[in-house]
Amino acid sequence: MKPYYYTKMASFSSPLLICLILLHFFSFILNNNNSVMAAKQSNHHHIRHNHRNNNHNHRNNNHNSSSSSSSSISDDSNNNPRLHQAFIALQAWKKVIYSDPSNFTSNWVGPLVCNYTGIYCGPSLDNPHLRVVSGIDLNHADIAGFIPDEFGLLTDLALIHLNSNRFCGIIPQTFSNLTLLFELDLSNNRFVGPFPTVLLSLPTLNFLDIRFNEFEGPLPSEIFLKKIDAVFVNNNRFTSLNFPQSISGSGSASVLVFANNNYGAGKTFTIPPSIVKFANSLEEFLLSNTNLSGCLPQEVGFLYKLKLFDVSNNQIVGPIPYSMAGLFHLEQLNLAHNKMEGVVPAGICMLPNLENFTLSYNYFCEEDDVCRNLANNTNKAKRVAFDDRQNCVPKRRFQRSEKECSHVLKHPYECEIEHDFDAPAGVGAGPAFAPVPAVGAPVPSLSPTPT
């Protein structure tokens, strides 16, 4: 299975799949009706969802809702107070759309809002005989405009997909009314302002994608505390990211993508040992080009579900944590363009699921033959892309000059090892890594369960 970020998987857009997502959400909620009603009233309901069933790089080609409902239920907003409320919201939104080159909103006329392009309707959670607007999908519509305060009237929304448009301005505070919102994709637009903290108050939000916008300022530490499965905030203008030094309980995110922001401007920005709290969930962690510095903590080796780890193009120093040789699910490891040094652990090169190991443009001085032979493996099924250019490994091609390497090799960086952390439930106490198999020993098959 390819890593989530590199294949750019997100929410599906075909009408059938949109409806399947909504039906999955509704069926889950309807089977837990008491919890849902509490969520709408107290904002304390949390749900889990597998984001890998979704694809956000798509185009909507069907302009009618496909959700099933009783034929006796009217879609006319004049006979349905919820749809009338949606009608008011959508008409207010249409008024602040000033460019719609593909005429996606040209049929947003009249009270039959369930027939509007990109609008999906389904049964209300508190009344299955009442039809409501449950999803909006305008991905790749190239629409320009902004989101008005009236958007908060769409209180039954479970899904919002606005990927690849030209929406601008700030996210209105009325989003706090969207207490059933499950999946939000605002990526590749022109939204501005600080991180929209109103989104952190949404009790059922499980997928958040705001990448490729113009958000700025600090990222709140609360983003690590919220029960959410996937967070994409890369390629904005965020200037700081405060990892909590301690996290009560365990994190729930399986994908955290913070790349291409300048968090460490003017101060130290490091990964703290508390990252271990995500050991039971985190599969993909991207911090490339973020001004990350300091040493990688040994606790990275506790993230036993990790498949993708990318901290390239930063200021990281010191050696590769030996604990990482226990990441048996790891597929993609990118440490390129840092200031790391020391020995490349042979155990990492022996990881059974490794597909790409990039450590170029560092100061590593030694690597085992098992690493050098990765790319030359005659077994194509097990061939690994291995890049060790511009390091300090003797007798290897394309290495740094002796002058470049001498200063670093004479003054190796000593990393402080932290031991004062509590391992999360399910992760054994004792060493923060699995045993490294000896060279030549058979490596156990620990392939992830297909999803």
Side-chain angles (χ1 to χ4, degrees):
M1 182 171 184
K2 293 297 182 184
Y4 190 100
Y5 183 67
Y6 282 113
T7 54
K8 298 188 177 3
M9 292 182 67
S11 294
F12 288 120
S13 174
S14 73
L16 175 60
L17 290 173
I18 287 287
C19 293
L20 286 175
I21 293 171
L22 293 172
L23 286 173
H24 173 84
F25 172 75
F26 288 136
S27 63
F28 182 94
I29 295 298
L30 288 171
N31 288 333
N32 299 274
N33 189 56
N34 293 334
S35 297
V36 169
M37 297 311 296
K40 293 201 74 171
Q41 297 173 11
S42 65
N43 288 351
H44 291 303
H45 177 64
H46 299 278
I47 56 178
R48 300 284 301 166
H49 178 69
N50 185 352
H51 64 270
R52 295 182 184 276
N53 291 333
N54 304 324
N55 190 329
H56 278 270
N57 293 323
H58 60 265
R59 190 175 187 88
N60 175 26
N61 294 317
N62 185 306
H63 305 323
N64 297 310
S65 168
S66 303
S67 299
S68 60
S69 65
S70 171
S71 58
S72 62
I73 301 175
S74 173
D75 285 344
D76 191 334
S77 68
N78 293 323
N79 301 319
N80 182 326
R82 300 276 189 89
L83 292 182
H84 180 67
Q85 192 168 274
F87 171 74
I88 294 173
L90 294 172
Q91 290 303 308
W93 194 14
K94 184 177 181 179
K95 288 180 180 178
V96 293
I97 289 176
Y98 49 83
S99 177
D100 182 6
S102 299
N103 296 317
F104 268 70
T105 61
S106 61
N107 69 341
W108 286 21
V109 179
L112 301 178
V113 294
C114 294
N115 292 334
Y116 288 7
T117 298
I119 305 302
Y120 292 82
C121 293
S124 168
L125 294 180
D126 56 352
N127 182 356
H129 300 290
L130 188 66
R131 199 162 164 82
V132 297
V133 172
S134 53
I136 295 177
D137 178 19
L138 293 174
N139 277 3
H140 292 266
D142 196 29
I143 293 173
F146 62 91
I147 298 179
D149 289 340
E150 288 85 351
F151 203 91
L153 295 172
L154 297 164
T155 55
D156 294 285
L157 280 176
L159 177 149
I160 300 173
H161 292 170
L162 301 181
N163 176 294
S164 300
N165 285 283
R166 289 173 287 144
F167 288 111
C168 59
I170 62 174
I171 307 302
Q173 288 296 309
T174 54
F175 262 57
S176 61
N177 296 329
L178 309 184
T179 55
L180 295 178
L181 191 60
F182 185 62
E183 185 166 309
L184 177 63
D185 180 5
L186 304 178
S187 61
N188 197 22
N189 278 282
R190 299 173 183 175
F191 291 110
V192 299
F195 178 86
T197 55
V198 64
L199 302 180
L200 298 178
S201 70
L202 302 181
T204 61
L205 188 64
N206 199 58
F207 180 100
L208 174 63
D209 189 348
I210 60 171
R211 56 184 161 164
F212 291 99
N213 277 286
E214 301 293 330
F215 293 111
E216 59 191 39
L219 269 174
S221 60
E222 289 79 8
I223 201 168
F224 293 97
L225 308 178
K226 183 173 174 58
K227 296 295 182 182
I228 191 168
D229 188 45
V231 177
F232 294 84
V233 297
N234 54 290
N235 295 84
N236 278 281
R237 297 187 177 188
F238 292 119
T239 54
S240 67
L241 171 59
N242 297 317
F243 282 105
Q245 293 303 309
S246 63
I247 300 175
S248 59
S250 297
S252 63
S254 66
V255 177
L256 294 174
V257 183
F258 298 119
N260 300 319
N261 287 286
N262 192 17
Y263 304 119
K267 64 177 183 178
T268 302
F269 170 53
T270 61
I271 299 176
S274 60
I275 194 64
V276 72
K277 294 294 187 177
F278 286 87
N280 292 327
S281 63
L282 193 58
E283 297 181 8
E284 300 183 17
F285 193 24
L286 288 91
L287 279 165
S288 56
N289 192 30
T290 56
N291 217 13
L292 185 67
S293 60
C295 298
L296 294 179
Q298 290 288 344
E299 286 74 14
V300 170
F302 255 126
L303 304 176
Y304 66 96
K305 291 189 175 181
L306 207 60
K307 297 178 181 178
L308 186 158
F309 186 61
D310 187 345
V311 289
S312 60
N313 292 284
N314 284 300
Q315 305 295 319
I316 301 172
V317 296
I320 300 175
Y322 57 86
S323 59
M324 294 183 68
L327 298 177
F328 290 114
H329 293 290
L330 196 64
E331 299 173 6
Q332 308 278 343
L333 175 59
N334 193 344
L335 307 174
H337 291 275
N338 278 287
K339 298 177 181 179
M340 301 184 74
E341 59 192 66
V343 178
V344 180
I348 292 181
C349 299
M350 297 173 66
L351 291 174
N353 293 296
L354 194 64
E355 297 176 1
N356 189 310
F357 184 10
T358 303
L359 49 89
S360 55
Y361 292 90
N362 279 285
Y363 294 90
F364 294 110
C365 63
E366 184 180 342
E367 59 189 31
D368 196 277
D369 286 344
V370 68
C371 295
R372 300 183 188 186
N373 293 335
L374 283 177
N376 301 323
N377 195 325
T378 56
N379 185 347
K380 292 184 179 181
K382 295 185 178 180
R383 187 171 297 174
V384 177
F386 179 69
D387 186 354
D388 65 352
R389 292 172 298 163
Q390 294 301 305
N391 278 284
C392 301
V393 182
K395 299 181 181 180
R396 288 289 284 171
R397 298 177 63 190
F398 309 118
Q399 300 295 294
R400 294 182 184 273
S401 67
E402 184 177 347
K403 181 179 180 180
E404 286 180 281
C405 296
S406 60
H407 178 74
V408 174
L409 297 180
K410 289 178 181 178
H411 304 281
Y413 194 94
E414 296 292 335
C415 293
E416 180 180 354
I417 299 178
E418 300 285 348
H419 294 288
D420 55 344
F421 59 84
D422 296 320
V427 178
F433 57 94
V436 179
V439 176
V443 179
S445 176
L446 294 173
S447 299
T449 302
T451 56

